[in-house]
Amino acid sequence: MGLMMALEIELGATLEEVAQTLTDLGACVKDIPHIHGGLLPGSKCGFGLTLHRYPMRVLAKGMKVNWTVGLTMTFHFRASNKMSSMAEIYPFIELFAEQHPHRFVLSFEYERVYAVRDEKGLDLRWPFSARGGFLARTAPFHTYRCPVCRLIRLELGCLIAYAWRMTNNREVFSEQQLDELLFGRGMTVQDYYIEQYPSGEMLCFRDSKGQAYDLHFNDDDMASAQMRRLKQLGVRIVTLG
């Protein structure tokens, strides 16, 4: 299942500037200024670059800005590879914001805004936890640093993944196992919901304070089993895109 993040950068940004940031992060960039895409060095997340012939409006849902898009960078990855991909995408946009003055919007499939760079600076609206498996609109991104990943926020997604790794390695999961992983800490099916996009599905969670999270797994089979079980129990489905 393929997923996509879109980075819409304002008119005036150049491929050379993108290449500079990619190179500084360790990516091998060739054929400047004619690059059209490549792979991020660690996660092997694919990226594509489009230098628009004519300025475009920002496509990210809910964004009303007074600037136009001149360059779009898209990142493509499997659902099971999202954590490692985001652990490289966020450092990229942070460094790009430090090196260049251009405004930009990072969104998930143009449906959910993750980061905005404007006149006030870089606003990470869904700070990313590569270890925790969460994307949550809480706490500054830079407050959760570690040598391996950018964050060490250990939340529900990490606990579910850890519990699974400690108890099972098979691809067939019983309802009892799934219920224990999903509801073992007192959650109910009402605490979860599934967002459906044209390219796939995202399992989400809302805590007692109303905070929304995207819940990710490193195991495609486990993620699919969790969502199938929640659908059997009547979980709320939100269709986007």
Side-chain angles (χ1 to χ4, degrees):
M1 180 172 61
L3 300 176
M4 185 268 289
M5 300 291 297
L7 181 63
E8 301 175 270
I9 309 174
E10 75 170 315
L11 185 67
T14 66
L15 294 175
E16 290 91 340
E17 290 171 327
V18 173
Q20 176 192 349
T21 303
L22 287 168
T23 300
D24 289 346
L25 288 174
C28 181
V29 179
K30 299 179 180 179
D31 300 323
I32 302 171
H34 304 294
I35 57 172
H36 298 289
L39 297 173
L40 298 182
S43 64
K44 303 304 181 185
C45 167
F47 65 85
L49 291 159
T50 302
L51 194 61
H52 301 295
R53 185 174 181 181
Y54 303 104
M56 297 181 57
R57 67 177 180 88
V58 172
L59 298 179
K61 189 174 182 178
M63 288 301 303
K64 296 180 179 180
V65 298
N66 59 0
W67 51 271
T68 54
V69 178
L71 192 159
T72 298
M73 185 174 187
T74 55
F75 303 91
H76 305 269
F77 43 84
R78 289 175 56 82
S80 59
N81 199 36
K82 183 170 185 179
M83 286 188 284
S84 59
S85 298
M86 291 299 294
E88 290 194 291
I89 294 171
Y90 263 35
F92 170 81
I93 66 170
E94 283 192 310
L95 184 57
F96 187 85
E98 291 175 8
Q99 293 178 331
H100 310 293
H102 310 296
R103 292 168 288 190
F104 60 75
V105 176
L106 176 70
S107 65
F108 176 66
E109 312 220 346
Y110 298 105
E111 289 288 340
R112 173 179 294 160
V113 174
Y114 276 28
V116 175
R117 196 298 177 69
D118 57 19
E119 296 85 354
K120 298 178 182 179
L122 180 59
D123 177 16
L124 297 168
R125 300 187 178 186
W126 288 78
F128 174 67
S129 168
R131 273 183 72 182
F134 264 115
L135 294 169
R137 282 179 280 190
T138 58
F141 180 70
H142 65 273
T143 61
Y144 299 104
R145 297 187 183 272
C146 76
V148 178
C149 59
R150 300 281 291 188
L151 304 167
I152 56 172
R153 188 183 177 98
L154 187 62
E155 295 283 1
L156 179 61
C158 184
L159 291 174
I160 290 178
Y162 176 78
W164 173 251
R165 287 194 299 270
M166 293 299 99
T167 59
N168 209 312
N169 279 322
R170 296 175 302 169
E171 296 183 359
V172 178
F173 319 123
S174 70
E175 290 184 358
Q176 181 180 356
Q177 289 171 325
L178 294 172
D179 289 349
E180 178 63 27
L181 295 175
L182 287 166
F183 312 121
R185 298 178 64 210
M187 287 76 70
T188 68
V189 68
Q190 285 74 30
D191 296 319
Y192 295 93
Y193 62 98
I194 295 174
E195 291 182 347
Q196 292 184 335
Y197 298 88
S199 62
E201 297 179 315
M202 182 78 68
L203 179 57
C204 305
F205 171 79
R206 192 175 297 276
D207 65 18
S208 59
K209 297 180 181 179
Q211 173 65 59
Y213 300 91
D214 289 351
L215 187 55
H216 301 288
F217 302 89
N218 282 324
D219 186 310
D220 276 343
D221 293 325
M222 181 176 67
S224 297
Q226 301 278 26
M227 286 194 280
R228 282 197 302 270
R229 178 57 178 158
L230 286 168
K231 289 176 182 178
Q232 290 174 356
L233 298 173
V235 72
R236 182 166 63 96
I237 305 293
V238 179
T239 303
L240 301 171

